[in-house]
Amino acid sequence: MNTPSNPLLDFSGLPRFDEINTAHVTPAIETLLTENRSTIDSIRNDSNAPTWQTFVQPMVDASERLSRAWGQVSHLNAVMNTPELREVYNKNLPLITQFYAELSQDQRLFDKFKQLRASAEFDMLSPARKKIIENELRDFRLGGAELPPEKKQRFLKIQETLSELSSKFNDNLLDATNAFSLVIDNQEEISGIPEDVLHTAKQLAEKDSKKGWKFTLHMPSYLPIQQYADNRALREKMYHAFYTRASEFSKPSSESSDTSWDNMPIIKKILELREEEARLLGYKNFAEVSLAPKMATSPEQVLGFLRELAGKAKPYAEKDLQELQQFATETLGLPKLEAWDIPYVSEKLRQARYAFSDQEVKQYFPEDKVLPGMFKLVEALYRISIVPADSIEIGQTVQYWHPDVKLFDIFDASGDLIGRFYIDLYARDTKRGGAWMDGAIARRRIDCERGGHVVQIPVAYLTCNFSGPVSINGQQRPALFTHNEVIVLFHEFGHGLHHLLTQVDDLSVSGINGVEWDAVELPSQFMENFCWEWDVLKEMTRHVETGEPLPRTLFDKMLAAKNFQSGMQMVRQIEFALFDMHLHYDFDPHGDKSVLQLLDEVRREVAVITPPAYNRFPNSFAHIFGGGYAAGYYSYKWAEVLSADAYGLFEENASNNSIGVMDAKTGSRFRDEILAMGGSRPALESFVAFRGREPQMDALLRHNGMTV
Ligand SMILES: [Zn+2]
């Protein structure tokens, strides 16, 4: 077999990162788009009845090559960004988006899927393949494929307008955020604000040739002021500016007075159009459209869930607030807490109660203890072994995109290679911020022409932005992680294991592919629980200087601080989720009640803090008006219930054995029923198969310190 000269067109193994350069991108994407279009053409014009082998499989194969090649480009764009790569990425991205948009509107493909669904072959297909076909039909329907021509035209127009409105919503918010700044040149007015924040603020002022410190509404400036500034008037001023962004109170400068940043008319229009879209599709409201591909079955179910959780959490939130008020009165001389006092007083109370710092904890978590500790845990749980790939014969030189990157192999109990992952831990200026897991290659079974089959081994990328090793006095010190970074690492590794430990043979539902959106965080949040388990954690620590493990007393303090104000945090999330769900369920955008009145009603029901009347939170609620979370904000809490309850079985079983939560029996069940199954069956079925019953919220409440 010839190796293609363009490394992006080589699908025989791992990506050839050393050889890929920007000149390869456009030709590869052109070739693959042409290949995809001609595949689609020929199956679309095939007059024979569609079968899995002649219709679905060729489409999956062509699309997999495109997504693998493009996946490498996006990955490099995110972790080794250069101006040249960014340019070629942005040039090709619309072509790919356009191709998939065409597919989703292709009436003849939709008809063929319907034909296949109705054929005798369908009943003989595996559950995974049935699920893939059902998913396709659902997505075509939600994309308006079943509408008569005139309605379809209106539907597409609505989609187009909605996407413009969302983008306008985000633009207004960004413009309004950028338009505000506050320069202070009096040292007394900035007391309490951390040094690094002041340093940046000073540089910003200097840029404008001003003396003093310049503060903005961007998070790295806004949050520390709310949290640390002793100057109450400053906090209030910033709070006011922040919560009136993109509202009738925030106006563009006079020269552009014909435009407005007010997002409220946009919100109204978005809600009207979403409602119209829902009715066109035959649903009663947009919430039903949003939930159609999700695990939650109805808006009523979600509302019931949120209210039940609110009922449990609110007494704790009230207690949190009471403690805060008492502390503010007694210690800080603040008799009445305002919205701009909450983060400040909370931080003071937290420091008074739990006297330890992240820096202190960080000294106990060196990379060379944390990574092996995490591997040891999952090796014990899932009966696998994890080995650095360099040390074994793999028949191919592994290529990396950066010298810091490592590749690991996962073997099952019988010694078969079942998955591989790259790990790229340290921040650098060519890397996008945050932490994430991405699939490079997904597991699938490939039938060979001469009979038999091979299994394509899944490969994942784990990317973080932690601080790297440093050299002190000529001595190399390993990378040290904060406890929060350890949690992030476990979280992303949880996503990784979902991708890597799958046993599904069909790509579209293997690993995290096809998993319901409100259930996809189950495996990741599940892993976080182990970071609060003494038996697990103590094996992962070693003080970078003394070599001592983490002291139990420090761990106990960390544990106590974990649930600090968890009641207040939970009701706040529930407030947003209820507001979002009602907006898209029973709120009438044409009616008399305003969006703000609805929010007030929700607040009266679940919130413990009433913000000032000028607060325009909805105008900056970008999750639901500028992003993809409409009628989906509840997912955060929903997935937490699933992950906490799944972990609850490990806790229950731990009380009956001597090995604690590192229990291979329960672990195998989690692996087989949840991780291995991917999107091949509904998430609820997988959950019940593991847990033996439907999800319950007790474990989540217990983990948040809310036990009655
Ligand atoms: Zn996640």
Side-chain angles (χ1 to χ4, degrees), residues 497-702:
L497 292 172
H498 202 184
H499 180 75
L500 297 167
L501 297 186
T502 192
Q503 285 298 311
V504 178
D505 289 334
D506 285 289
L507 187 114
S508 316
V509 289
S510 91
I512 58 173
N513 291 339
V515 175
E516 291 98 314
W517 197 74
D518 45 357
V520 82
E521 295 296 330
L522 194 179
S524 51
Q525 292 175 346
F526 165 79
M527 280 294 287
E528 293 181 24
N529 289 289
F530 291 101
C531 300
W532 295 104
E533 208 62 69
W534 174 244
D535 288 338
V536 175
L537 214 62
K538 70 176 198 283
E539 300 297 322
M540 289 173 45
T541 61
R542 187 195 65 228
H543 194 279
V544 68
E545 273 150 26
T546 65
E548 291 296 310
L550 182 77
R552 179 75 203 220
T553 46
L554 182 52
F555 175 73
D556 287 340
K557 278 196 236 173
M558 291 160 63
L559 208 54
K562 171 182 179 245
N563 292 327
F564 178 59
Q565 292 188 340
S566 58
M568 263 164 58
Q569 278 162 21
M570 195 177 289
V571 295
R572 196 169 148 81
Q573 290 283 305
I574 295 171
E575 173 191 324
F576 297 161
L578 273 177
F579 174 57
D580 164 44
M581 193 46 79
H582 277 297
L583 272 180
H584 296 102
Y585 171 61
D586 53 6
F587 177 76
D588 177 7
H590 307 275
D592 293 334
K593 196 198 288 178
S594 74
V595 168
L596 289 170
Q597 282 168 323
L598 172 70
L599 180 56
D600 278 342
E601 279 174 21
V602 170
R603 280 177 175 156
R604 274 198 295 277
E605 184 187 341
V606 297
V608 293
I609 298 162
T610 313
Y614 62 71
N615 181 300
R616 292 289 180 272
F617 165 74
N619 298 43
S620 60
F621 198 4
H623 272 87
I624 66 166
F625 298 118
Y629 276 79
Y633 199 85
Y634 75 93
S635 300
Y636 287 110
K637 283 283 158 263
W638 186 271
E640 274 178 41
V641 166
L642 299 180
S643 59
D645 197 19
Y647 192 72
L649 186 59
F650 285 81
E651 294 174 311
E652 282 165 27
N653 292 347
S655 49
N656 304 322
N657 67 36
S658 56
I659 41 172
V661 291
M662 287 167 98
D663 160 19
K665 215 171 132 212
T666 318
S668 301
R669 213 158 115 186
F670 188 77
R671 179 185 160 178
D672 295 345
E673 301 295 356
I674 292 183
L675 299 177
M677 300 306 287
S680 68
R681 67 181 178 191
L684 181 62
E685 264 177 50
S686 294
F687 186 91
V688 171
F690 168 68
R691 198 63 175 92
R693 56 158 175 75
E694 297 210 353
Q696 292 173 2
M697 56 178 65
D698 314 31
L700 177 67
L701 295 166
R702 192 173 70 244

Side-chain angles (χ1 to χ4, degrees), residues 307-331:
R307 292 216 149 82
E308 191 185 345
L309 199 55
K312 310 261 187 200
K314 199 171 176 187
Y316 291 92
E318 281 162 346
K319 196 167 138 266
D320 287 345
L321 184 63
Q322 211 183 351
E323 285 172 4
L324 201 63
Q325 180 63 71
Q326 194 184 346
F327 177 80
T329 314
E330 289 170 5
T331 318

Side-chain angles (χ1 to χ4, degrees), residues 176-195:
T177 304
N178 287 334
F180 178 91
S181 66
L182 186 66
V183 179
I184 292 179
D185 60 1
N186 181 352
Q187 182 94 41
E188 279 166 28
E189 290 180 37
I190 53 159
S191 85
I193 304 173
E195 267 315 307

Side-chain angles (χ1 to χ4, degrees), residues 188-348:
E188 279 166 28
E189 290 180 37
I190 53 159
S191 85
I193 304 173
E195 267 315 307
D196 55 329
V197 180
L198 289 179
H199 184 73
T200 314
K202 201 172 178 71
Q203 283 179 328
L204 282 178
E206 275 164 14
K207 246 194 197 160
D208 294 354
S209 317
K210 287 199 174 123
K211 277 203 341 207
W213 302 268
K214 179 177 166 181
F215 300 106
T216 72
L217 298 181
H218 291 283
M219 286 300 162
S221 181
Y222 177 75
L223 282 184
I225 289 187
Q226 293 303 310
Q227 224 175 340
Y228 298 104
D230 298 322
N231 182 348
R232 196 182 192 199
L234 172 63
R235 296 199 307 265
E236 181 179 1
K237 203 172 209 170
M238 295 292 286
Y239 177 93
H240 182 279
F242 191 82
Y243 280 107
T244 52
R245 283 178 304 160
S247 75
E248 73 271 34
F249 307 123
S250 94
K251 292 237 161 47
S253 57
S254 53
E255 59 261 36
S256 53
S257 57
D258 54 334
T259 61
S260 161
W261 286 336
D262 188 0
N263 269 341
M264 197 50 85
I266 296 178
I267 291 175
K268 251 192 99 200
K269 192 78 203 152
I270 288 177
L271 292 172
E272 284 170 18
L273 288 175
R274 281 179 183 161
E275 190 184 68
E276 188 185 342
E277 179 193 316
R279 302 217 182 240
L280 277 174
L281 291 173
Y283 291 94
K284 288 202 284 294
N285 49 63
F286 185 78
E288 289 185 352
V289 179
S290 169
L291 293 183
K294 297 192 172 90
M295 178 180 171
T297 50
S298 69
E300 294 81 5
Q301 185 194 21
V302 173
L303 289 168
F305 159 74
L306 291 170
R307 292 216 149 82
E308 191 185 345
L309 199 55
K312 310 261 187 200
K314 199 171 176 187
Y316 291 92
E318 281 162 346
K319 196 167 138 266
D320 287 345
L321 184 63
Q322 211 183 351
E323 285 172 4
L324 201 63
Q325 180 63 71
Q326 194 184 346
F327 177 80
T329 314
E330 289 170 5
T331 318
L332 303 169
L334 279 174
K336 187 178 181 299
L337 280 180
E338 298 289 352
W340 47 89
D341 297 324
I342 307 280
Y344 177 76
V345 179
S346 296
E347 181 57 29
K348 291 274 177 289

Side-chain angles (χ1 to χ4, degrees), residues 87-139:
E87 194 189 318
V88 67
Y89 175 85
N90 288 332
K91 197 179 114 194
N92 283 279
L93 179 63
L95 306 177
I96 291 173
T97 316
Q98 169 70 22
F99 169 70
Y100 284 110
E102 278 166 29
L103 273 195
S104 70
Q105 291 300 325
D106 195 310
Q107 193 65 41
R108 279 192 288 175
L109 290 181
F110 179 44
D111 291 340
K112 288 206 179 260
F113 270 111
K114 281 200 283 193
Q115 243 180 300
L116 182 56
R117 172 69 182 81
S119 71
E121 188 196 355
F122 183 82
D123 296 327
M124 323 276 284
L125 291 174
S126 69
R129 290 186 172 181
K130 284 188 178 131
K131 184 81 175 15
I132 291 169
I133 293 170
E134 298 287 10
N135 287 354
E136 289 286 351
L137 289 170
R138 178 197 67 203
D139 294 343

